[in-house]
Amino acid sequence: MKNTKKSKAKGAKATSGNKGLRGRDYLSVDDLSTAEIKRILELTADIKARPKKYRHSLDGKMMALIFEKPSLRTRTTFTVGIKQLGGDSILLTPADINLGKRESVYDVAKNLERMVDGIMIRTFGHDICTSLADHACIPVINGLTDLEHPCQAMADIFTVLEHKKNLKKLKITYIGDGNNVTHSLMLIAAKLGTTMVVGTPEGYKPVQSIMDRSCAIAEETGAKILWTADPVEAAREADVIYTDTWTSMGQEAEAVERRRIFASYQVNAALFSHAHERALFMHCLPAHRGEEVTDEIIDSPQSVVFQEAENRLHAQKAIMLELLRE
């Protein structure tokens, strides 16, 4: 049960019916409407183009950054991003918290809501993220869970828009393991009316509930969300080809078997040749070169992986600004 006295002091979380995103959580792409996603994308573009305009936007705001998984891009972009907006952050690792073992998720939430203005969490189980958000009266941002990677998806779509202006005319293809990145990409593509084809082996498809939800959204927006086990069919006439590591954190024991199963899903010159001539290559990083992608592709002029990584900074600044500003 939430501390109602504290809720009044901090301001109870806004609902989707309230104007703006202030006080809301961002745990899933599906937390946002199409209009809200477009609003964040527009803000991202302005923040990237005119960063000085926003350097005092979150003066005095403090973010707690909880990391239960290793991180380069998420840690750097959230730490730098909040500082560039005028705020600051505190890093909390498993040695500090050890969620659910040293201290319960509930207790962590009730402590942090009295000390900081927002929480970003990068963890394993999505239920940890949702539980933290349920108990904290301050905004919680999903920096990655095993189910979704919504901040990555926002940066990815923003990167696509920098090169390809009309999302409704595009085909985005994801090839590899149907993981958290795949899930968030499917949801954001569906929300924005984009065709997305997912190419994975039969036993490594996206979670069915995410596939069903994406297809339901697509029926309303005119998007198409499709799956195939044939990587060539998936790549054919794609405007964007996206891949990710075949073995995510926590799956290391499966690495050898996964390399065998996914061998024909490697994004190499032969597979990429089936895409449009000016197709983009994308990867959320870190990349296992020589496994899911060859050097020839990731280092090619069509690769936008480092621009994509930079755009995590701008997109997450937009997300924090929307959730935390007064």
Side-chain angles (χ1 to χ4, degrees):
M1 181 175 177
K2 290 197 174 183
N3 184 317
T4 54
K5 182 178 180 181
K6 191 61 181 177
S7 296
K8 292 178 181 178
K10 294 291 289 187
K13 287 188 182 180
T15 64
S16 57
N18 292 346
K19 184 178 180 180
L21 301 176
R22 183 173 62 85
R24 301 250 302 271
D25 300 316
Y26 183 49
L27 311 183
S28 165
V29 169
D30 204 20
D31 289 340
L32 304 180
S33 67
T34 297
E36 288 166 343
I37 292 170
K38 289 179 177 178
R39 174 175 168 173
I40 289 177
L41 292 171
E42 289 169 2
L43 181 57
T44 301
D46 199 49
I47 287 172
K48 184 173 183 178
R50 299 189 292 171
K52 290 183 179 179
K53 174 184 173 183
Y54 297 93
R55 61 187 175 187
H56 296 296
S57 298
L58 293 180
D59 278 357
K61 297 293 185 180
M62 179 65 74
M63 284 285 294
L65 308 180
I66 300 175
F67 284 92
E68 300 230 296
K69 288 188 176 187
S71 171
L72 168 64
R73 281 153 296 278
T74 301
R75 178 173 174 177
T76 303
T77 51
F78 270 105
T79 303
V80 172
I82 188 67
K83 286 182 180 293
Q84 290 181 346
L85 294 171
D88 209 341
S89 64
I90 180 170
L91 175 68
L92 299 171
T93 68
D96 303 305
I97 301 179
N98 203 358
L99 274 170
K101 296 178 182 177
R102 180 177 181 272
E103 198 155 3
S104 71
V105 174
Y106 177 86
D107 286 354
V108 169
K110 303 319 287 182
N111 276 271
L112 289 180
E113 72 177 12
R114 288 159 168 77
M115 302 168 184
V116 299
D117 301 286
I119 302 168
M120 187 288 306
I121 181 168
R122 180 178 171 93
T123 188
F124 290 89
H126 194 74
D127 60 320
I128 296 172
C129 187
T130 56
S131 179
L132 187 68
D134 285 344
H135 298 310
C137 296
I138 55 176
V140 175
I141 298 171
N142 177 2
L144 176 141
T145 65
D146 288 344
L147 185 66
E148 274 206 60
H149 201 348
C151 293
Q152 181 69 53
M154 194 70 73
D156 291 338
I157 288 296
F158 177 74
T159 305
V160 172
L161 280 169
E162 290 185 303
H163 295 269
K164 314 280 187 181
K165 301 303 180 185
N166 192 339
L167 291 175
K168 293 195 173 184
K169 292 185 177 181
L170 297 183
K171 175 184 175 180
I172 296 175
T173 290
Y174 179 94
I175 295 176
D177 182 30
N179 61 15
N180 49 4
V181 172
T182 322
H183 296 154
S184 291
L185 281 172
M186 288 165 55
L187 287 167
I188 204 164
K191 295 261 182 177
L192 295 172
T194 306
T195 293
M196 182 168 172
V197 178
V198 177
T200 74
E202 179 68 41
Y204 296 85
K205 295 167 68 173
V207 170
Q208 191 61 48
S209 61
I210 300 288
M211 178 68 80
D212 291 344
R213 177 59 182 154
S214 299
C215 289
I217 296 168
E219 289 183 5
E220 300 175 1
T221 63
K224 293 180 181 178
I225 306 297
L226 307 167
W227 172 84
T228 177
D230 184 346
V232 172
E233 179 185 341
R236 189 170 290 119
E237 298 187 352
D239 298 287
V240 176
I241 291 187
Y242 197 121
T243 193
D244 190 10
T245 178
W246 295 336
T247 306
S248 297
M249 286 174 280
Q251 299 172 337
E252 288 80 7
E254 305 172 27
V256 173
E257 179 68 3
R258 282 173 172 265
R259 281 195 291 272
R260 181 188 67 79
I261 292 170
F262 285 98
S264 62
Y265 292 81
Q266 182 186 73
V267 180
N268 50 35
L271 185 59
F272 205 82
S273 69
H274 295 283
H276 279 309
E277 184 179 354
R278 301 178 70 179
L280 303 177
F281 172 73
M282 300 181 73
H283 192 305
C284 61
L285 302 178
H288 294 78
R289 291 166 176 259
E291 290 189 16
E292 72 269 12
V293 62
T294 60
D295 287 346
E296 181 181 12
I297 297 299
I298 197 170
D299 293 329
S300 72
Q302 287 163 277
S303 173
V304 294
V305 297
F306 299 117
Q307 179 180 340
E308 184 184 356
E310 177 197 337
N311 284 337
R312 287 283 300 279
L313 173 65
H314 310 303
Q316 288 163 190
K317 285 168 71 174
I319 292 165
M320 287 189 287
L321 184 54
E322 282 290 279
L323 301 184
L324 298 180
R325 63 181 164 188
E326 297 297 332

